Amino acid sequence: MSNYHIKDTEEYYQVYRKSITNPEGFWEEIAEEHFLWQKRWDKVLEGDFNDNEFKWFKGGKLNITENCIDRHLKTRGNKTAILFEPNSPEEEAQHITYNELSKRVNKLANVLKSKGVKKGDRVCVYLPMIPELAITLLACARIGAIHSVIFAGFSSNAVAKRINDSQSKVVITSDGAYRGAKTIDLKGIVDTALKECNSVESVLVVKRINSDITLKEGRDEWIQPLIDKASTECEPEIMDAEDPLFILYTSGSTGTPKGMVHTTGGYMVYTGYSFKNVFQYKENDIYWCTADIGWITGHSYIVYGPLVNGATTVMFEGVPSYPDYGRFWEIIEKHKITHFYTAPTAIRTLAKQETEFTTKYNLSSLKILGTVGEPINEEAWHWYNDVVGSKRCPIVDTYWQTETGGFLITPIPYVIPTKPTYATLPFIGIQPVLMDDNGKEIKENFVNGNLCIKFPWPAMSRTIWNDHDRYRKTFFSTYKGMYFTGDSALRDEVKYYRITGRIDDVIIVSGHNLGTAPIEDAINEHPAVAESAIVGFPHEIKGSALYGFITLKDKGACRNQEHLQKEINQLISDHVGPIAKLDKMQFTEGLPKTRSGKIVRRILRKIACNDTEELGDTSTLLNPKIVKEIMDNVVK
Ligand code: PRX
């Protein structure tokens, strides 16, 4: 029998050892005993970090929705699979059972088929956090279509880029989204995006806010009448373990986002196994992850990981501040939530409010708390632990990435003791190493190093859509034979890891992964701008915020800087999305550059962070005088 559910520390070390000394044997047992396959695999793992082509469970056949839905129907048919809490507390929550989920997924799968969607076709999903979002993912998976979810906060430009890159055939969106007291015109954003796209044949629209939208003849249709007519039966498409399940775009060091491709078998096994252990999920628990399904956290730990385990997973449409800052805690009391998993930015925001907002609710149902997406600072950790968890709920600080598909480094409650600000130990099967800048492994502890992973794990993404070469270069060229995360980390005396931040051009703002390149491209579109450079600086709530150093073509001609700042932020909103707006902007005479003309961001980062004591030797710059000019005019 395999150790599907690790219950104590000794067992963790024993299972961990097994998973790294015999990874194939280990994952084979887990896959065989706890998942449903239509055909057994021929080989557990093929490929390594030197050739960068990986296959897990090669030759295995399955459909992930049979694992997420069908196999639960006998024993859990009437159990709530998805518990939907709407934006407005006035609107009733929906409890969608596994039986009902099965019917709704099959119906939507049949609708997609009727629109000509076949195995391997891409379906773009641009929806708010409503049940149809999760159902669409599963409906795609049912028929072997590849879903590409775009977070519903991205702009039309960002949507167009992603649709074009994936060549999506169908878009599923809604007539709008509720977001606290506001509404967002999602359909309008799709309409603008589609002016730039020619792969899309149909747009299916979910009615959510009853807004007055126009349907383009021959392309757009309301989805509900089609669903009403569709059959509740849909045979699952039998997929190869290595067939793509989805594409999810994430930032990279160029203006083009990386379409990370996740495949079926290994992703299912890893997300299922890691969900079960990291949340120590028990049959009647009510699990709530506040992420949006537009991000990897939602894919792996709202939809697939929980449903594969027959869990009840909560989907919340709204925001933590609406109608007031007590909303999260009210929901926990109302649904007797046992597991609460959120981002440090949300914790910091809520910790700033009157304690009353939190303490007036009964949070005694909580058993386990979690964080994800960015480093959590000590103060926020203690507030979460003391006020929300009453010091009795372990906090799992889960470190991972869109690219990794599932947790890399994380505590396991009651098994791996937590330590504030530390993600602690590697999850089963993960072999972390710290490397120095010269490509040597750092063996000692208490040193900061570049975090790499030494051996493949089943949920890692297999490629970048349409660009395998970029995949190789981005993740495997810095350190030969290793996956480079792009993060730095510190290892303490008991080998616990603490993530200390990104070392590339990605900045984590409020837990959102933002590349500097697309933001700079947007700013440079402004006719008054010559060039720009974006860096991160510490922010009390967001963790990091964006500081833009912008050189104008003719600074003297700019009469109204405030107006220009607004225009620049609007451009960023239009091109990337409102989450990427700059908190600080400085108009400079120039940017520090090397003699070969490369912007020296390291210097700008230090200036933005008010850390100018050790700027290093600036005399070799192309324009050394510019550093002082920038420092003198820094925005406080
Ligand atoms: O820098 C790390 C940070 O978020 C990055 C990955 O972002 P994304 O692909 O959007 O996925 C976020 C959700 C998994 C990482 O490279 N990060 C993620 N989790 C943590 C973290 N930083 C510190 N602590 C974490 N727990």
Side-chain angles (χ1 to χ4, degrees), residues 248-251 258 260 291 295-298 301 341 344 371-376 396-410 421-423 483 485-488 498-504 506-508 511-514:
L248 186 59
Y249 287 88
T250 186
S251 311
K258 309 189 298 262
M260 302 314 308
W295 310 114
I296 191 68
T297 309
Y301 298 115
Y341 184 36
T371 71
V372 58
E374 50 182 322
I376 182 162
V396 290
D397 177 349
T398 62
Y399 164 73
W400 58 297
Q401 307 176 309
T402 305
E403 295 86 339
T404 70
F407 306 134
L408 289 181
I409 301 180
T410 173
T421 77
Y422 280 74
Y483 170 85
T485 61
D487 285 301
S488 63
R498 175 190 194 173
I499 310 303
T500 46
R502 299 287 310 192
I503 38 189
D504 54 9
V506 170
I507 304 170
I508 312 284
H512 299 316
N513 188 335
L514 299 174

Side-chain angles (χ1 to χ4, degrees), residues 123-345:
V123 173
C124 164
V125 189
Y126 189 62
L127 282 171
M129 277 288 284
I130 54 178
E132 286 79 359
L133 174 50
I135 291 168
T136 304
L137 267 56
L138 295 162
C140 289
R142 188 80 179 171
I143 61 169
I146 302 170
H147 54 78
S148 164
V149 183
I150 305 176
F151 171 60
F154 275 123
S155 68
S156 57
N157 220 293
V159 172
K161 246 187 198 163
R162 287 157 176 77
I163 290 178
N164 283 333
D165 187 75
S166 62
Q167 289 288 291
S168 293
K169 192 169 182 177
V170 170
V171 177
I172 303 198
T173 188
S174 68
D175 60 347
Y178 292 120
R179 195 169 168 74
K182 290 192 270 185
T183 56
I184 303 166
D185 176 18
L186 296 188
K187 175 64 166 51
I189 294 172
V190 168
D191 286 342
T192 311
L194 291 188
K195 289 188 188 139
E196 314 286 320
C197 309
N198 43 34
S199 61
V200 174
E201 294 167 11
S202 41
V203 177
L204 303 174
V205 187
V206 177
K207 190 169 258 186
R208 176 59 186 142
I209 68 165
N210 288 313
S211 67
D212 193 14
I213 57 159
T214 36
L215 295 178
K216 187 172 169 193
E217 184 76 39
R219 188 194 71 184
D220 306 350
E221 265 172 287
W222 289 112
I223 206 167
Q224 196 56 47
L226 303 173
I227 290 177
D228 290 342
K229 278 191 283 186
S231 157
T232 55
E233 301 293 321
C234 177
E235 278 302 305
E237 183 80 34
I238 301 306
M239 307 295 286
D240 192 277
E242 280 298 324
D243 279 335
L245 175 64
F246 64 87
I247 305 171
L248 186 59
Y249 287 88
T250 186
S251 311
S253 55
T254 72
T256 312
K258 309 189 298 262
M260 302 314 308
V261 176
H262 284 281
T263 57
T264 310
Y267 177 82
M268 170 184 77
V269 170
Y270 193 85
T271 53
Y273 180 69
S274 57
F275 173 81
K276 175 74 183 171
N277 283 291
V278 171
F279 292 108
Q280 295 280 307
Y281 185 83
K282 308 239 165 56
E283 189 59 38
N284 295 316
D285 289 343
I286 314 266
Y287 163 88
W288 180 19
C289 165
T290 69
D292 192 291
I293 293 177
W295 310 114
I296 191 68
T297 309
H299 282 61
S300 301
Y301 298 115
I302 295 180
V303 181
Y304 292 111
L307 295 180
V308 146
N309 283 285
T312 298
T313 180
V314 175
M315 280 182 73
F316 174 46
E317 184 184 25
V319 293
S321 54
Y322 179 79
D324 65 36
Y325 283 101
R327 189 69 197 280
F328 273 4
W329 321 123
E330 184 242 338
I331 295 172
I332 291 174
E333 179 182 290
K334 177 174 166 190
H335 296 300
K336 300 199 170 41
I337 306 279
T338 53
H339 293 65
F340 180 67
Y341 184 36
T342 196
T345 292

